[in-house]
Amino acid sequence: MGEPMVDSPWRPLRVAAAATVGICLVLGIVLSRLTDTASSTDAASSPAPVADAPEIVEPPVADVLGAVETRSGDLTPASVDHLVIVVVSVTTCGERAAGTGVLVAENTILTAAHTVGDAGLVRVAHGTQILTGEVAGVFADGRDLAVITLQAPLTEPIAAASMPADGSAITIVGFPEGGARSSVVGAPVEVPDLARRLFDGPLAAVDATTRAGMSGGPAIDGDGNLVGLLVGAQPETGTAVLASIDDVASALQTPLTEGRCQATA
């Protein structure tokens, strides 16, 4: 989904911390040797204490129809059973690619524009059902969003809502590398500055690590509503960048234009 946006701002602090730890270790070794020399008689008569093994703490992981990575504590993932989330396979820009899309109307899929690129027809897979979709176009206002019209309708489109202001969990769903459906869960965070320079339109961001193939996947609030689509990521910080969607009907009224050869899924 593109190159990493920015280097981690914490790298200098990490380097300083690592140097401090190294100095402490060296001083610890010297003091330990001096202590051993001064008390060699006592050490010979008493067995050396055995250090307790460090406790291994497993991070909380939730199971939502596939692999789920929870990055921000005990966040409760949204139920996605009722959603029609599809694999979008394309041949575009001279290459084959796969991304994710979500049903937003009876015969309409919304996905990322860079997923479909300049493709005209795409293959849409929903479970065992394989459909042909036509790329109606990408958003002319520069947002990284595209509309796919299905030749056969699917049912139960998703409703949309604004990003929650209380910092509650956001679930992002997609098909990494076109494989099994997976979800990642995180809390809303500040949108990186570079993302605002690279993407047009309203954006949001979530503390969640996504993978290639999840582009165009829906971001869902705790009530199961669509709040955005995945369009980018900042790997160093584990930040997912979303194109905000708070009203499907309004979004679908956006003028469309032809896609360009940029598919990276």
Side-chain angles (χ1 to χ4, degrees):
M1 289 187 291
E3 298 180 353
M5 293 180 183
V6 293
D7 200 2
S8 171
W10 303 105
R11 190 179 302 276
L13 293 180
R14 291 175 180 166
V15 173
T20 302
V21 171
I23 293 172
C24 290
L25 288 175
V26 172
L27 291 175
I29 292 171
V30 173
L31 291 174
S32 176
R33 290 179 177 176
L34 291 174
T35 302
D36 289 344
T37 302
S39 58
S40 58
T41 303
D42 292 338
S45 60
S46 301
V50 178
D52 293 334
E55 181 183 1
I56 298 176
V57 179
E58 294 290 342
V61 176
D63 185 14
V64 183
L65 293 179
V68 177
E69 178 185 352
T70 302
R71 294 178 47 81
S72 301
D74 292 318
L75 294 173
T76 302
S79 172
V80 296
D81 294 359
H82 63 294
L83 303 179
V84 178
I85 303 170
V86 301
V87 179
V88 178
S89 301
V90 301
T91 300
T92 180
C93 311
E95 297 180 352
R96 298 184 65 181
T100 303
V102 62
L103 186 72
V104 294
E106 186 177 87
N107 66 336
T108 304
I109 298 290
L110 202 59
T111 187
H114 76 260
T115 294
V116 297
D118 63 351
L121 296 178
V122 298
R123 178 178 180 268
V124 174
H126 177 235
T128 59
Q129 193 172 7
I130 306 297
L131 302 172
T132 298
E134 180 179 0
V135 179
V138 303
F139 279 32
D141 60 8
R143 281 183 285 176
D144 190 5
L145 297 172
V147 176
I148 298 171
T149 301
L150 299 176
Q151 296 183 357
L154 293 173
T155 58
E156 297 189 37
I158 191 173
S162 299
M163 178 70 74
D166 59 1
S168 58
I170 300 297
T171 303
I172 302 173
V173 189
F175 297 86
E177 309 297 341
R181 185 165 80 175
S182 297
S183 302
V184 293
V185 185
V189 294
E190 188 69 24
V191 178
D193 290 338
L194 183 55
R196 294 193 182 281
R197 296 197 296 270
L198 292 176
F199 297 101
D200 293 324
L203 299 172
V206 175
D207 175 29
T209 299
T210 57
R211 291 183 283 163
M214 296 182 72
S215 287
I220 304 160
D221 66 14
D223 295 324
N225 296 315
L226 179 71
V227 297
L229 265 68
L230 179 68
V231 295
Q234 187 172 21
E236 276 88 358
T237 59
T239 303
V241 179
L242 312 175
S244 298
I245 300 289
D246 55 13
D247 183 87
V248 170
S250 176
L252 293 180
Q253 291 176 2
T254 304
L256 304 176
T257 187
E258 292 184 359
R260 288 180 281 178
C261 187
Q262 57 180 354
T264 58

